[in-house]
Amino acid sequence: MGIVIDGEVTEIVLRVPYDRDIHLGELLVMDDNVFDGRRYLLRVTSIGYGYEAAENDWAERAAGSIMLMDGREEYTIYHRERRLYKEVKCLPMGRIEGNEIRPVKTIPSHFSSSREPEPQDYRVLERYMGDIAVGRLRSGERALDIEAGIDGNTFPYHIGIFATTGMGKSNLMRVLAGSTMRSGRYGMLILDPHGEYYEGPPSEPGLRDLNSRRLRVYSSRNMRGISPLQVSYREIYTSDMASIYSVSEAQREALGIFWRAFGRDWLREVHDHSFEELVERFARIERIHENTLSVVKRRVDNIFDMGMVSEDPDYSVSNQIIADLMEGRVVLVDTSGLREEEELLISSVLARRVFEHWQNLFLEHHDEFQRAPPVLITLEEAQRVLQDAKRGVFPRIAREGRKFKVGLCAISQQPKLIHEHILSQLNTLFIMGLSDDKDREKLGSASKQDLSPLRNEIKTLNVGEAIITSPFTPFAIPVSIYSFEEFVRNYREEQEGTRIEHDDGFV
Ligand SMILES: Nc1ncnc2c1ncn2[C@@H]1O[C@H](COP(=O)(O)OP(=O)(O)O)[C@@H](O)[C@H]1O
Ligand SMILES: [Mg+2]
């Protein structure tokens, strides 16, 4: 398959037969031919042409001859096997030692040869693949017969899912949610601004097709059998409004004054008072400008008009959401019926409620906190709320959530817009096809592993292909993500299987 001809500790160069079909990202195994039992795991990072010829310009001259013959007769390359080869550069990913992968600190001996990995070679990788499977380990473009994923206990260390539109972010999110349901050990709050998770895109399955009791759904749209999404007006703070809407300094001050005047009833009070009453009370004494009052009042009224805010101060879906997450369920919140600002407002309020609940357990109820599952809050188009490292609840979760077992999963097609302090908090990155150089660069520097040898592979990722990088595995893991359709099929078969075992009285 390939023999070492050159290189150093961080890069091994192989001579590979000219007719061997080899691809970027392929995994190879190398058995050291001097030190018995020493095995290396390699990953192809670059492929080039190699010629063995006495004269440096042999290839050029041969090409000239081929051109002159213009296809009329066949140009014969004597000793083709000898003359032609591929020069393949590999990244040594690790040294396989018993049941472990160790860092590589030496080179394989001269002329050691590489081969395709066999199942027993990558069995040792299984322990790094986590309990939340998202696909299969990928060698080049080929999916190997070993499941790959992440450890749910790393949810609180935050996740980023990055790809250009159409490369498979939402599909991956559905698989991640399905796997989390299957495990039952973690809570997941999915904020779904496009309303695409429950039913799935046209002609593709959605989360409902898993028929899982571990799924709870709330929707801002009127959907049969789905609970309506409503929060209490007392849950919306002036700071939520200030972090989502683009507010002027004057509006920010006005919000502060309302908060001092009405406390948590501010939204209701501003809504219930007429504009004239507000002017009467606030324009003169507190010197809020009438224009400012009118803008804030209009926004508050809009929030009520959306029907997302219940008139009953004690009615809110958040308590039920928290209870479900505590029991290891996946809660899907479809905000697709809302305008962007209201969608972000409701999403922020729910995320804050969940964050504060876990924080409160940590601070006040130690035993309950120990029992509480880690929870992951996922947000599409996350660049919208993560450009500023300080403002709003999502940056706060990225900064502080870890301690309280609350993770953020930021999904975005433009990671370069996310503040670098936030990016650096995302410990696990799913890097998928990204067409923009700047996006890839940004992720390269945010990653906890050195991705520079993988630059070529990352550039050429296809739909559904990903590299998972995190500090929790000895190297970045190439995966082929399940299509959600395939995931649903497997999941159902598995469910059928356990049901049959039940019938036979096995379990
Ligand atoms: N892992 C995958 N395997 C097979 N097809 C996929 C996979 N991921 C995505 N696709 C296909 O690509 C389409 C776009 O994927 P999607 O997840 O909606 O991309 P994004 O959310 O990044 O825009 C999907 O509708 C599906 O047909
Ligand atoms: Mg999408």
Side-chain angles (χ1 to χ4, degrees):
M1 136 94 46
I3 292 184
V4 176
I5 52 172
D6 199 2
E8 36 146 343
V9 174
T10 57
E11 185 178 76
I12 306 296
V13 185
L14 306 179
R15 173 174 173 146
V16 171
Y18 77 97
D19 57 352
R20 164 70 164 81
D21 191 23
I22 194 158
H23 296 264
L24 281 179
E26 233 175 275
L27 303 181
L28 302 173
V29 171
M30 177 166 286
D31 296 292
D32 197 291
N33 63 6
V34 172
F35 300 99
D36 241 11
R38 192 177 281 184
R39 255 186 312 159
Y40 296 86
L41 195 60
L42 309 178
R43 176 195 218 145
V44 174
T45 53
S46 132
I47 307 169
Y49 296 99
Y51 308 98
E52 190 188 320
E55 314 83 16
N56 278 340
D57 60 351
W58 172 81
E60 256 171 86
R61 288 189 294 108
S65 307
I66 294 170
M67 274 178 173
L68 279 179
M69 290 156 94
D70 201 18
R72 284 184 304 268
E73 42 184 315
E74 180 115 9
Y75 179 79
T76 321
I77 297 173
Y78 295 102
H79 309 297
R80 191 181 280 261
E81 271 71 25
R82 199 65 236 223
R83 274 204 188 268
L84 306 184
Y85 61 93
K86 290 178 186 171
E87 189 182 285
V88 172
K89 292 184 177 151
C90 299
L91 170 73
M93 298 163 74
R95 199 156 55 78
I96 304 177
E97 198 178 282
N99 225 355
E100 261 189 288
I101 310 263
R102 315 274 309 158
V104 177
K105 296 190 175 169
T106 181
I107 49 173
S109 303
H110 294 81
F111 301 122
S112 289
S113 62
S114 66
R115 57 179 172 82
E116 284 197 38
E118 289 161 16
Q120 80 261 22
D121 293 315
Y122 45 77
R123 284 294 155 247
V124 7
L125 296 180
E126 259 169 6
R127 54 181 291 203
Y128 301 103
M129 296 300 162
D131 57 345
I132 302 292
V134 295
R136 293 211 173 79
L137 189 67
R138 177 172 55 79
S139 173
E141 300 195 323
R142 204 161 51 92
L144 301 176
D145 191 20
I146 164 173
E147 279 208 310
I150 59 173
D151 183 344
N153 286 309
T154 66
F155 281 176
Y157 293 80
H158 313 297
I159 297 174
I161 296 181
F162 302 118
T164 304
T165 302
M167 295 307 271
K169 295 182 296 297
S170 303
N171 178 81
L172 166 58
M173 249 334 288
R174 275 178 285 157
V175 173
L176 211 51
S179 253
T180 303
M181 276 185 239
R182 180 167 71 180
S183 124
R185 285 193 291 274
Y186 313 100
M188 180 182 270
L189 173 63
I190 305 176
L191 302 166
D192 176 15
H194 301 137
E196 61 182 335
Y197 287 116
Y198 184 62
E199 291 168 339
S203 79
E204 282 182 47
L207 293 183
R208 68 169 172 191
D209 296 290
L210 296 172
N211 286 325
S212 171
R213 279 179 300 122
R214 294 219 183 95
L215 177 66
R216 286 278 191 278
V217 188
Y218 299 91
S219 180
S220 61
R221 292 182 290 167
N222 221 336
M223 286 165 77
R224 230 172 42 142
I226 301 292
S227 320
L229 178 61
Q230 278 208 321
V231 299
S232 155
Y233 62 81
R234 303 198 82 215
E235 290 176 305
I236 301 179
Y237 297 174
T238 48
S239 57
D240 295 321
M241 193 150 181
S243 73
I244 297 302
Y245 294 73
S246 48
V247 290
S248 65
E249 205 37 54
Q251 288 161 18
R252 196 180 295 275
E253 269 170 36
L255 287 169
I257 289 167
F258 289 146
W259 185 255
R260 284 195 294 280
F262 302 122
R264 291 181 62 181
D265 289 327
W266 76 279
L267 197 75
R268 167 109 228 192
E269 293 286 345
V270 173
H271 180 58
D272 285 355
H273 285 80
S274 69
F275 177 63
E276 288 70 28
E277 285 168 339
L278 290 175
V279 170
E280 177 72 22
R281 176 153 176 196
F282 291 100
R284 280 201 218 112
I285 304 166
E286 306 273 10
R287 298 188 174 282
I288 304 181
H289 199 279
E290 280 192 23
N291 286 344
T292 309
L293 268 181
S294 133
V295 172
V296 174
K297 164 87 173 139
R298 198 174 59 238
R299 285 184 170 159
V300 166
D301 289 349
N302 273 342
I303 292 170
F304 273 90
D305 291 345
M306 300 299 292
M308 292 302 103
V309 179
S310 93
E311 302 282 329
D312 176 352
D314 298 321
Y315 181 81
S316 168
V317 295
S318 25
N319 293 330
Q320 189 54 47
I321 288 177
I322 288 168
D324 283 328
L325 295 174
M326 285 290 286
E327 289 179 10
R329 292 206 172 86
V330 170
V331 179
L332 175 59
V333 173
D334 171 352
T335 52
S336 64
L338 305 178
R339 283 201 320 228
E340 186 171 38
E341 287 173 331
E342 281 79 18
E343 166 233 323
L344 288 174
L345 184 72
I346 299 290
S347 300
S348 297
V349 167
L350 294 178
R352 180 165 48 71
R353 284 290 319 248
V354 170
F355 173 77
E356 283 172 354
H357 184 82
W358 261 254
Q359 182 184 39
N360 182 257
L361 290 183
F362 173 83
L363 297 172
E364 313 275 342
H365 307 274
H366 182 77
D367 290 346
E368 219 181 317
F369 179 75
Q370 293 300 323
R371 285 193 302 273
V375 60
L376 187 69
I377 301 177
T378 81
L379 182 65
E380 287 255 3
E381 319 258 10
Q383 77 283 351
R384 296 176 299 167
V385 287
L386 299 176
Q387 301 187 13
D388 186 315
K390 299 237 163 67
R391 222 171 73 169
V393 67
F394 294 104
R396 182 163 163 219
I397 293 173
R399 287 193 320 265
E400 304 171 26
R402 189 162 81 193
K403 197 156 74 180
F404 313 126
K405 291 203 267 193
V406 181
L408 176 69
C409 176
I411 306 163
S412 174
Q413 66 275 28
Q414 286 174 295
K416 63 168 185 269
L417 296 183
I418 296 178
H419 196 285
E420 59 185 315
H421 290 171
I422 305 286
L423 266 189
S424 70
Q425 298 292 336
L426 309 177
N427 279 276
T428 300
L429 302 181
F430 286 83
I431 301 180
M432 308 178 79
L434 274 167
S435 53
D436 187 287
D437 294 343
K438 285 226 182 59
D439 283 324
R440 291 195 303 264
E441 249 167 60
K442 262 281 168 71
L443 294 185
S445 46
S447 159
K448 307 291 180 253
Q449 285 156 336
D450 177 20
L451 297 183
S452 49
L454 307 183
R455 220 177 286 137
N456 288 332
E457 185 185 344
I458 290 173
K459 254 190 202 169
T460 55
L461 290 170
N462 289 327
V463 176
E465 293 179 349
I467 285 175
I468 310 177
T469 152
S470 78
F472 314 112
T473 54
F475 48 82
I477 296 178
V479 292
S480 170
I481 307 289
Y482 289 127
S483 77
F484 188 61
E485 209 164 343
E486 185 182 2
F487 181 88
V488 171
R489 240 183 353 256
N490 295 345
Y491 181 91
R492 286 211 180 128
E493 268 167 30
E494 196 180 285
Q495 298 291 312
E496 288 295 314
T498 42
R499 209 162 309 135
I500 290 164
E501 280 175 30
H502 270 286
D503 291 348
D504 292 350
F506 266 95
V507 179

Short mmCIF file of all heavy atoms in Angstrom, two decimals, residues 161-175 380 411 432-433 462-466 481-482:
data_model
loop_
_atom_site.label_atom_id
_atom_site.label_comp_id
_atom_site.label_asym_id
_atom_site.label_seq_id
_atom_site.Cartn_x
_atom_site.Cartn_y
_atom_site.Cartn_z
N ILE A 161 -21.37 24.13 15.72
CA ILE A 161 -21.63 23.38 14.49
C ILE A 161 -21.57 24.38 13.34
O ILE A 161 -22.38 25.29 13.27
CB ILE A 161 -23.01 22.69 14.53
CG1 ILE A 161 -23.03 21.65 15.64
CG2 ILE A 161 -23.34 22.06 13.18
CD1 ILE A 161 -24.34 20.89 15.76
N PHE A 162 -20.57 24.21 12.49
CA PHE A 162 -20.34 25.24 11.47
C PHE A 162 -20.26 24.67 10.07
O PHE A 162 -19.50 23.73 9.81
CB PHE A 162 -19.04 25.99 11.80
CG PHE A 162 -19.08 26.62 13.16
CD1 PHE A 162 -18.18 26.25 14.15
CD2 PHE A 162 -20.03 27.57 13.46
CE1 PHE A 162 -18.22 26.83 15.42
CE2 PHE A 162 -20.10 28.16 14.72
CZ PHE A 162 -19.18 27.79 15.70
N ALA A 163 -21.03 25.23 9.18
CA ALA A 163 -21.01 24.81 7.78
C ALA A 163 -21.73 25.84 6.93
O ALA A 163 -22.63 26.54 7.42
CB ALA A 163 -21.69 23.46 7.61
N THR A 164 -21.33 25.90 5.70
CA THR A 164 -22.07 26.71 4.73
C THR A 164 -23.46 26.11 4.56
O THR A 164 -23.64 24.90 4.73
CB THR A 164 -21.30 26.67 3.40
OG1 THR A 164 -19.97 27.13 3.65
CG2 THR A 164 -21.95 27.56 2.35
N THR A 165 -24.42 26.95 4.23
CA THR A 165 -25.80 26.47 4.04
C THR A 165 -25.83 25.28 3.08
O THR A 165 -25.16 25.30 2.05
CB THR A 165 -26.65 27.62 3.48
OG1 THR A 165 -26.59 28.70 4.41
CG2 THR A 165 -28.10 27.20 3.31
N GLY A 166 -26.57 24.26 3.46
CA GLY A 166 -26.73 23.10 2.60
C GLY A 166 -25.72 21.99 2.86
O GLY A 166 -25.81 20.92 2.27
N MET A 167 -24.74 22.23 3.75
CA MET A 167 -23.72 21.21 3.99
C MET A 167 -24.10 20.25 5.10
O MET A 167 -23.38 19.28 5.35
CB MET A 167 -22.37 21.86 4.30
CG MET A 167 -21.78 22.64 3.14
SD MET A 167 -21.68 21.67 1.62
CE MET A 167 -20.07 20.94 1.79
N GLY A 168 -25.21 20.50 5.79
CA GLY A 168 -25.70 19.47 6.71
C GLY A 168 -25.78 19.82 8.19
O GLY A 168 -25.79 18.92 9.02
N LYS A 169 -25.89 21.10 8.52
CA LYS A 169 -25.99 21.48 9.94
C LYS A 169 -27.28 20.97 10.57
O LYS A 169 -27.26 20.37 11.63
CB LYS A 169 -25.95 23.01 10.09
CG LYS A 169 -24.66 23.66 9.68
CD LYS A 169 -24.70 25.17 9.92
CE LYS A 169 -25.73 25.88 9.07
NZ LYS A 169 -25.52 25.81 7.63
N SER A 170 -28.39 21.25 9.90
CA SER A 170 -29.68 20.91 10.51
C SER A 170 -29.86 19.39 10.57
O SER A 170 -30.45 18.86 11.52
CB SER A 170 -30.84 21.55 9.74
OG SER A 170 -30.65 22.94 9.69
N ASN A 171 -29.37 18.70 9.55
CA ASN A 171 -29.40 17.25 9.58
C ASN A 171 -28.61 16.73 10.80
O ASN A 171 -29.10 15.89 11.56
CB ASN A 171 -28.81 16.69 8.29
CG ASN A 171 -28.78 15.18 8.27
OD1 ASN A 171 -29.77 14.53 7.99
ND2 ASN A 171 -27.62 14.60 8.61
N LEU A 172 -27.43 17.28 10.99
CA LEU A 172 -26.62 16.88 12.15
C LEU A 172 -27.34 17.16 13.45
O LEU A 172 -27.34 16.35 14.37
CB LEU A 172 -25.26 17.61 12.11
CG LEU A 172 -24.41 17.57 13.37
CD1 LEU A 172 -24.09 16.15 13.80
CD2 LEU A 172 -23.11 18.34 13.16
N MET A 173 -28.00 18.31 13.53
CA MET A 173 -28.72 18.66 14.77
C MET A 173 -29.83 17.66 15.05
O MET A 173 -30.06 17.27 16.19
CB MET A 173 -29.34 20.06 14.64
CG MET A 173 -28.74 21.15 15.48
SD MET A 173 -27.94 20.65 16.99
CE MET A 173 -29.35 20.20 17.99
N ARG A 174 -30.52 17.22 13.99
CA ARG A 174 -31.58 16.24 14.20
C ARG A 174 -30.99 14.92 14.71
O ARG A 174 -31.54 14.28 15.61
CB ARG A 174 -32.38 16.01 12.91
CG ARG A 174 -33.50 17.02 12.71
CD ARG A 174 -34.22 16.79 11.39
NE ARG A 174 -33.41 17.26 10.28
CZ ARG A 174 -33.53 16.84 9.02
NH1 ARG A 174 -34.43 15.93 8.72
NH2 ARG A 174 -32.76 17.32 8.08
N VAL A 175 -29.85 14.54 14.15
CA VAL A 175 -29.20 13.29 14.59
C VAL A 175 -28.75 13.44 16.04
O VAL A 175 -28.94 12.53 16.86
CB VAL A 175 -28.01 12.94 13.67
CG1 VAL A 175 -27.23 11.76 14.23
CG2 VAL A 175 -28.50 12.64 12.26
N GLU A 380 -29.89 27.92 16.36
CA GLU A 380 -29.52 28.11 14.95
C GLU A 380 -29.21 29.57 14.69
O GLU A 380 -29.70 30.45 15.38
CB GLU A 380 -30.69 27.67 14.04
CG GLU A 380 -30.88 26.18 13.96
CD GLU A 380 -30.38 25.59 12.63
OE1 GLU A 380 -29.84 26.35 11.80
OE2 GLU A 380 -30.54 24.36 12.45
N ILE A 411 -24.97 27.05 16.35
CA ILE A 411 -24.99 26.58 14.97
C ILE A 411 -24.92 27.80 14.07
O ILE A 411 -25.67 28.76 14.29
CB ILE A 411 -26.29 25.80 14.69
CG1 ILE A 411 -26.46 24.71 15.73
CG2 ILE A 411 -26.30 25.25 13.27
CD1 ILE A 411 -27.85 24.16 15.81
N MET A 432 -17.70 21.41 9.27
CA MET A 432 -18.21 20.79 8.06
C MET A 432 -17.80 21.66 6.87
O MET A 432 -16.99 22.57 7.02
CB MET A 432 -19.74 20.64 8.17
CG MET A 432 -20.14 19.94 9.46
SD MET A 432 -21.91 19.77 9.70
CE MET A 432 -22.24 18.38 8.65
N GLY A 433 -18.36 21.38 5.71
CA GLY A 433 -17.96 22.14 4.53
C GLY A 433 -18.18 23.63 4.70
O GLY A 433 -19.29 24.08 4.94
N ASN A 462 -17.38 17.12 1.93
CA ASN A 462 -18.66 17.04 1.22
C ASN A 462 -19.83 17.21 2.18
O ASN A 462 -19.65 17.20 3.39
CB ASN A 462 -18.81 15.66 0.55
CG ASN A 462 -17.87 15.51 -0.62
OD1 ASN A 462 -17.57 16.48 -1.31
ND2 ASN A 462 -17.40 14.30 -0.84
N VAL A 463 -21.01 17.28 1.62
CA VAL A 463 -22.23 17.32 2.44
C VAL A 463 -22.24 16.14 3.40
O VAL A 463 -21.97 15.01 3.00
CB VAL A 463 -23.49 17.24 1.54
CG1 VAL A 463 -24.76 17.18 2.39
CG2 VAL A 463 -23.55 18.41 0.59
N GLY A 464 -22.50 16.42 4.66
CA GLY A 464 -22.61 15.33 5.64
C GLY A 464 -21.28 14.84 6.18
O GLY A 464 -21.25 13.93 7.01
N GLU A 465 -20.18 15.40 5.70
CA GLU A 465 -18.87 15.02 6.25
C GLU A 465 -18.43 16.07 7.26
O GLU A 465 -18.66 17.26 7.05
CB GLU A 465 -17.82 14.91 5.14
CG GLU A 465 -18.08 13.76 4.19
CD GLU A 465 -17.05 13.68 3.07
OE1 GLU A 465 -16.25 14.62 2.89
OE2 GLU A 465 -17.05 12.66 2.37
N ALA A 466 -17.80 15.60 8.33
CA ALA A 466 -17.39 16.55 9.36
C ALA A 466 -16.08 16.11 10.00
O ALA A 466 -15.66 14.96 9.86
CB ALA A 466 -18.47 16.66 10.44
N ILE A 481 -21.50 11.90 8.83
CA ILE A 481 -22.70 12.03 9.66
C ILE A 481 -23.82 11.18 9.06
O ILE A 481 -23.99 11.13 7.84
CB ILE A 481 -23.17 13.51 9.70
CG1 ILE A 481 -22.02 14.45 10.11
CG2 ILE A 481 -24.38 13.70 10.59
CD1 ILE A 481 -21.60 14.38 11.54
N TYR A 482 -24.59 10.51 9.93
CA TYR A 482 -25.76 9.77 9.43
C TYR A 482 -26.70 10.75 8.75
O TYR A 482 -26.91 11.85 9.25
CB TYR A 482 -26.54 9.15 10.59
CG TYR A 482 -25.87 7.99 11.27
CD1 TYR A 482 -25.70 7.99 12.65
CD2 TYR A 482 -25.46 6.87 10.55
CE1 TYR A 482 -25.10 6.92 13.30
CE2 TYR A 482 -24.87 5.80 11.20
CZ TYR A 482 -24.69 5.83 12.57
OH TYR A 482 -24.10 4.79 13.20
#
